[in-house]
């Protein structure tokens, strides 16, 4: 079991924990937050960075909730479809991608210390995305209307 803790399984760094506290204190309770993810096992998607802890630590909805979402067939399908589409996006600076996220019910984006397909530098070039938080490699964005 020595290999259980490795760079893929450590999701939240200390900087992510600080940002999660910020989310809890500053974002609306009904926020739905897009997070970086990766295909973990077969068709199962898992959050890839500190965003994995949004639901347990802040009670905010996330595009990829904790892994037990697989036991709800409808939620499992929804999470899988969202992540397949999100990982196929080649340019998050395109305003149409922010509109697509809004259509999916997303209000915010969490890009944690570990990183993933939500590249903060690219998101900052999207005119429909506003950076709310950016500290020590963790970024939180709001989607404009």
């Amino acid at each position: 079991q020595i290999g259980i803790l490795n760079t893929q399984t450590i999701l939240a760094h200390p900087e992510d924990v600080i940002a999660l506290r910020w989310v809890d204190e500053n974002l609306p309770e009904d926020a739905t937050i897009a997070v970086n993810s990766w295909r973990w096992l077969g068709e199962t998607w898992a959050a890839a960075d500190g965003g994995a802890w949004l639901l347990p630590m802040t009670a905010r909805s996330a595009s990829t909730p904790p892994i037990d979402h697989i036991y709800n067939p409808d939620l499992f399908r929804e999470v899988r479809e969202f992540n397949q589409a999100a990982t196929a996006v080649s340019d998050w600076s395109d305003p149409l991608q922010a509109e697509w996220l809004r259509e999916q019910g997303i209000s915010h984006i969490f890009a944690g210390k570990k990183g993933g397909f939500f590249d903060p530098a690219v998101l900052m070039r999207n005119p429909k995305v506003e950076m709310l938080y950016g500290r020590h490699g963790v970024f939180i964005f709001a989607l404009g209307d």
Side-chain angles (χ1 to χ4, degrees):
Q1 300 221 0
I2 197 162
I4 287 176
L5 291 180
N6 60 62
T7 57
Q8 282 192 311
T9 59
I10 296 175
L11 302 177
H13 294 269
E15 298 86 352
D16 292 306
V17 175
I18 294 166
L20 289 165
R21 276 193 223 114
W22 186 92
V23 166
D24 195 38
E25 294 169 1
N26 293 280
L27 292 189
E29 291 180 11
D30 64 349
T32 300
I33 305 167
V35 298
N36 287 306
S37 63
W38 62 296
R39 192 177 297 204
W40 177 51
L41 286 174
E43 293 298 312
T44 302
W45 289 82
D49 59 25
W53 292 95
L54 281 163
L55 183 61
M57 290 186 68
T58 73
R60 300 319 189 275
S61 294
S63 59
T64 306
I67 207 66
D68 63 354
H69 76 270
I70 65 171
Y71 297 111
N72 178 323
D74 292 333
L75 182 57
F76 176 73
R77 182 180 28 67
E78 181 182 316
V79 169
R80 183 184 67 230
E81 289 172 1
F82 174 87
N83 284 296
Q84 287 171 337
T87 56
V89 171
S90 61
D91 184 8
W92 285 105
S93 69
D94 182 349
L96 292 176
Q97 300 309 328
E99 290 176 22
W100 176 78
L101 286 171
R102 271 274 186 215
E103 290 168 4
Q104 308 310 305
I106 302 296
S107 59
H108 296 82
I109 300 168
F110 184 101
K113 177 84 173 167
K114 186 175 176 184
F117 56 82
F118 285 121
D119 181 337
V122 175
L123 288 167
M124 283 188 242
R125 294 193 316 259
N126 189 319
K128 293 197 173 239
V129 175
E130 176 189 0
M131 185 178 74
L132 302 177
Y133 177 98
R135 296 184 188 116
H136 309 292
V138 182
F139 297 84
I140 300 163
F141 300 90
L143 297 176
D145 294 330

